[in-house]
Amino acid sequence: MGETLTMAEIEAQFSAEWVLVADPRTDDALELLGGHVLYHSRDRDEFDRKVLEFHPRRFAVVFTGRPQAGMEFVL
Amino acid sequence: MRWAFDPRQGLIVVRAEVFGPAGSAVVSLALDTGATGTMVNHSRLMQLGYDPSAVPERVQIATGSGIEFAPRLVVSRFASLGRVRTAFPVLCHTLPPATGVDGLLGLDFLRGHQLLIDFRAGSIALDDGP
């Protein structure tokens, strides 16, 4: 299992990536404070496939990117 | 209690914890009052021990680009915005990666409460109401 990182460290090391975090530390609002990074990828489809190989009991998934400039969302 | 979001840009992103047979996942969802049902990424539900492909119920979902069919399964526990639901039905559908979220928090989770979205303060409150 990877080393324990804070959320600031996760964002700095894995910029604009999808990150699988095991044993996440969260606050009352479920905001991620840190945890063990198990896997990360810029490609969400690849991320979705690979994370099925990991089996943490409690985990978090976070995208460290920002909305693409000029893109509007109509979900 | 109030929950913070970025009022200046992008979607209103909230955190939720979804529970299943294999554990629990903290995910980011877009608060969407235009969605009648809460939706969670297919892979995330698989990680939690659910098998969406084995769910017999498929429901029609009307999107901006047409009608699609998605499995609807019941997760054992679902928590967000300080509220917890047990045996909560969610749609299994994966949004485009550009959204940066793992699904939608829809009206089915919000009904029966008073939702206050303050775009000046960047805060959300989900209360019981008067």
Side-chain angles (χ1 to χ4, degrees):
Chain A
M1 186 175 286
E3 62 179 314
T4 300
L5 300 176
T6 65
M7 191 57 209
E9 290 170 332
I10 291 171
E11 288 182 322
Q13 291 188 30
F14 311 108
S15 176
E17 294 198 62
W18 293 83
V19 184
L20 175 65
V21 180
D23 300 326
R25 288 185 296 109
T26 53
D27 64 13
D28 290 343
L30 292 173
E31 287 296 329
L32 183 60
L33 303 177
H36 300 282
V37 174
L38 289 183
Y39 183 72
H40 58 94
S41 176
R42 289 182 185 275
D43 183 329
R44 211 279 307 277
D45 292 335
E46 177 185 75
F47 177 86
D48 281 352
R49 284 192 300 273
K50 290 290 288 185
V51 293
L52 297 176
E53 299 174 9
F54 300 90
H55 305 286
R57 187 69 192 163
R58 184 171 188 255
F59 63 92
V61 172
V62 60
F63 176 63
T64 58
R66 298 285 176 268
Q68 183 178 325
M71 182 174 288
E72 300 291 346
F73 298 94
V74 183
L75 301 178
Chain B
M1 188 166 178
R2 300 199 179 277
W3 313 88
F5 74 99
D6 183 351
R8 297 162 301 177
Q9 62 178 350
L11 299 164
I12 300 175
V13 178
V14 299
R15 310 297 177 200
E17 186 160 11
V18 189
F19 294 77
S24 70
V26 177
V27 296
S28 300
L29 304 179
L31 177 62
D32 188 354
T33 59
T36 54
T38 294
M39 176 185 291
V40 177
N41 178 310
H42 186 281
S43 180
R44 237 46 80 222
L45 292 168
M46 295 272 290
Q47 284 180 271
L48 290 172
Y50 296 106
D51 183 0
S53 64
V55 175
E57 185 182 12
R58 296 284 190 282
V59 296
Q60 290 187 76
I61 53 175
T63 72
S65 55
I67 302 292
E68 298 183 43
F69 287 85
R72 181 161 56 196
L73 56 80
V74 177
V75 299
S76 57
R77 182 178 161 97
F78 184 100
S80 187
L81 299 176
R83 305 283 167 176
V84 178
R85 300 288 172 84
T86 55
F88 186 65
V90 299
L91 296 165
C92 177
H93 187 70
T94 301
L95 294 170
T99 60
V101 294
D102 263 334
L104 303 174
L105 188 67
L107 293 177
D108 54 350
F109 187 81
L110 307 171
R111 292 187 198 282
H113 298 289
Q114 181 181 66
L115 174 67
L116 174 64
I117 304 174
D118 186 336
F119 283 92
R120 288 175 298 185
S123 69
I124 304 168
L126 187 62
D127 299 323
D128 289 331

